[in-house]
Amino acid sequence: MAKTDSFFIRASTNTDALNFAQSGVDLGAYVDALGKSVLRIHNISVEYGGPLSAYAGAPNSSTQSSFQLTTQSQTNMVDVTDRSLISSGSIAIATGASAVQMMSEGLNIAPQHWTKGYLVGVEQIYLGVDQTFDHCDKVSVVLECTVETLSQSAAMALALSQQ
């Protein structure tokens, strides 16, 4: 199985804080089902907003921003039982009367949690975002990836885990 050095794919989805938002990430340069070329995602890093985004909501409130990366287009957030889900996570913030009391960021599911990452055989994946506050205008991801030739065992694993 031929492997390449790892490289990075970056994507963002803008959000209005009121509605589920999604954007496609074109993988056509890396994935070719007929040529048996597939993408393996090894790690995902997530940024909520930008470097200077303010996350806290109103006093005595709680807010959350969530993302998902899927192999199929979605109309809402999905849970881990959806076979198209590659990764998901969120950041949650609770504020007191005058300051942030709690902030928690986590990945519910991510390729770095698996032994060999996550194999992708589709030419487009989707970055979906939903949140309960308007202080974050986008969510961005950086994916560490390699391209591989699809072996028979990898094809079976792909067929069993996705679509």
Side-chain angles (χ1 to χ4, degrees):
M1 177 179 342
K3 291 187 179 180
T4 60
D5 288 334
S6 64
F7 57 93
F8 299 95
I9 296 173
R10 299 166 194 271
S12 292
T13 296
N14 293 327
T15 178
D16 65 3
L18 303 173
N19 303 291
F20 175 79
Q22 177 179 268
S23 59
V25 181
D26 183 13
L27 302 179
Y30 315 106
V31 175
D32 178 10
L34 296 177
K36 297 185 177 181
S37 177
V38 292
L39 184 80
R40 187 174 300 275
I41 303 173
H42 298 277
N43 289 292
I44 292 181
S45 292
V46 184
E47 178 181 57
Y48 297 91
L52 299 176
S53 294
Y55 298 109
N60 299 310
S61 69
S62 61
T63 56
Q64 181 170 329
S65 181
S66 300
F67 86 95
Q68 66 187 18
L69 195 62
T70 59
T71 59
Q72 296 176 1
S73 181
Q74 304 295 331
T75 57
N76 252 314
M77 300 298 285
V78 299
D79 66 18
V80 297
T81 62
D82 189 297
R83 294 176 76 153
S84 73
L85 186 66
I86 298 169
S87 183
S88 66
S90 64
I91 187 169
I93 300 113
T95 57
S98 63
V100 171
Q101 299 295 313
M102 185 276 304
M103 186 161 141
S104 173
E105 179 184 7
L107 293 170
N108 302 331
I109 183 174
Q112 55 262 40
H113 296 155
W114 313 125
T115 303
K116 294 184 178 181
Y118 197 91
L119 201 57
V120 177
V122 295
E123 293 185 4
Q124 184 153 332
I125 57 177
Y126 301 88
L127 176 59
V129 177
D130 208 352
Q131 57 190 19
T132 61
F133 65 111
D134 63 357
H135 292 66
C136 178
D137 61 349
K138 68 179 177 177
V139 174
S140 303
V141 295
V142 177
L143 313 174
E144 180 187 16
C145 306
T146 56
V147 173
E148 301 178 10
T149 301
L150 188 62
S151 66
Q152 187 174 4
S153 63
M156 181 61 74
L158 187 62
L160 291 173
S161 68
Q162 297 176 21
Q163 294 85 12

